[in-house]
Amino acid sequence: MKATALGRLLAAVVTAVLCLAGCVSTGPAPVGAGGDGAQPAVSLPGGGTTYAPAQPYDVTPLLHPRKKYFGATFDGVPKDLGPVGAYASQVGRTPTMLEYYLGWGDALQADQTEAVWENGQLPYIAWEPHKATLAQIADGSQDAYIVSTARTLRAVNVPVAISLAHEMNGGWYPWGHGKATAAQFVKAWRHVHDVFQDEGVSTVIWVWSPNVVNPVPQVALKPYWPGDGYVDWVGVVGYYARTGAQDFAALFGPTFRQIRTFTERPFLLAETGAQPSPRKSTQITELLKTVAGRGDVVGFIWFDLDKETDWRVDSSPASLAAFRAAARDHRYDLDFTALKHTRQKQR
């Protein structure tokens, strides 16, 4: 075989291998360089557990599970996982996803992240850049912090979902509409994703998380879209208030339809809840039934906090009874035992 032909053959093989690692824009978000697991053992900052993963955790089975994620968030997590057990007793089902918040500049706690996974929940981290602008994140001046976070996750080697700068289409956060541009958001998102990729992190499910468009109909979502190669799930945030949308179609429908004009990525209800009202029980029943029945929605996260109003499922006996009844749906029987992979760990 001539050298030129051999070169073309080798190039084709290399391209095929790279595409298997996620370079196809219609597939999962690209995995990181070094995703073959050839990483040295890493000691986490401050001492403690040292990990030497033989193979990065494969999140592929978690992206489109046959059952639905039954998620929640509470005060005190992930430092204290006691509320998870209390909630499970209350609603009759153990959550399979746990959302918590990470302020920009704060260290991601490796032991807490692993504890959430070992407790039976997929960690869902809402990463909030209160202490840096999107422009600063995009220009590389925050890279030391981004790299540190990426290396911590690579060392722990458990799957996590990450939402960066959620509700960016609203004007209530410093990274939102009117305070930063859509172009700055996209550039910052892609930069963080690329740093993680360069650090060999392939265990992240990237969740692009807009607010429902109802309160901000003038803000188009497409300009904020980083691209299919940078996002795994669309995590829509939407709450039932006393005024405004009162059923699933009215609350989420306009947003879902707009998003479907530019991506087919699965939906997750990344934050949802219902304000106390005579309709709350009906809204709970409809939401859980609708999520369970839609093939394009992977699950939901209930915001079980008394904040601004009482979003909790037990704000009344009727709402708790409705939630317990809807939670019995077998379509929420997600079995993490069948999805977990063996990780090698040195202590």
Side-chain angles (χ1 to χ4, degrees), residues 56-120:
Y57 193 102
D58 180 9
V59 300
T60 304
L62 302 176
L63 296 178
H64 304 276
R66 297 179 64 181
K67 302 290 185 176
K68 306 293 182 176
Y69 288 99
F70 185 84
T73 185
F74 323 96
D75 278 328
V77 296
K79 184 177 181 180
D80 178 13
L81 296 181
V84 178
Y87 184 78
S89 298
Q90 184 180 50
V91 304
R93 180 180 289 278
T94 300
T96 49
M97 184 182 291
L98 183 64
E99 181 177 14
Y100 49 97
Y101 300 85
L102 180 66
W104 192 265
D106 295 339
L108 189 147
Q109 301 300 309
D111 56 342
Q112 295 175 8
T113 303
E114 182 178 26
V116 171
W117 176 248
E118 296 300 333
N119 196 54

Side-chain angles (χ1 to χ4, degrees), residues 101-271:
Y101 300 85
L102 180 66
W104 192 265
D106 295 339
L108 189 147
Q109 301 300 309
D111 56 342
Q112 295 175 8
T113 303
E114 182 178 26
V116 171
W117 176 248
E118 296 300 333
N119 196 54
Q121 290 80 47
L122 174 69
Y124 183 105
I125 300 168
W127 205 357
E128 300 183 314
H130 285 287
K131 297 180 181 178
T133 66
L134 294 180
Q136 289 171 329
I137 294 171
D139 70 16
S141 62
Q142 302 292 304
D143 279 7
Y145 171 60
I146 301 170
V147 167
S148 175
T149 306
R151 289 178 178 176
T152 297
L153 285 175
R154 188 184 68 186
V156 176
N157 194 31
V158 300
V160 298
I162 291 181
S163 166
L164 174 66
H166 58 107
E167 302 170 54
M168 75 299 287
N169 57 317
W172 42 87
Y173 285 124
W175 55 83
H177 176 73
K179 301 177 178 65
T181 67
Q184 288 171 331
F185 173 86
V186 169
K187 189 175 180 181
W189 180 285
R190 290 177 175 174
H191 182 74
V192 172
H193 178 282
D194 290 347
V195 170
F196 272 58
Q197 175 177 301
D198 291 343
E199 289 298 320
V201 181
S202 59
T203 55
V204 173
I205 298 171
W206 294 94
V207 189
W208 181 76
S209 186
N211 196 78
V212 290
V213 300
N214 301 17
V216 282
Q218 76 283 4
V219 182
L221 293 176
K222 187 175 181 180
Y224 288 91
W225 180 243
D228 278 10
Y230 289 87
V231 176
D232 295 299
W233 292 339
V234 174
V236 179
V237 174
Y239 291 84
Y240 297 98
R242 286 185 177 272
T243 59
Q246 296 302 317
D247 59 26
F248 191 97
L251 181 59
F252 294 103
T255 307
F256 281 17
R257 288 192 294 273
Q258 187 177 148
I259 289 169
R260 280 293 175 255
T261 66
F262 55 85
T263 184
E264 293 296 322
R265 284 288 186 252
F267 292 115
L268 169 77
L269 304 189
E271 281 185 24

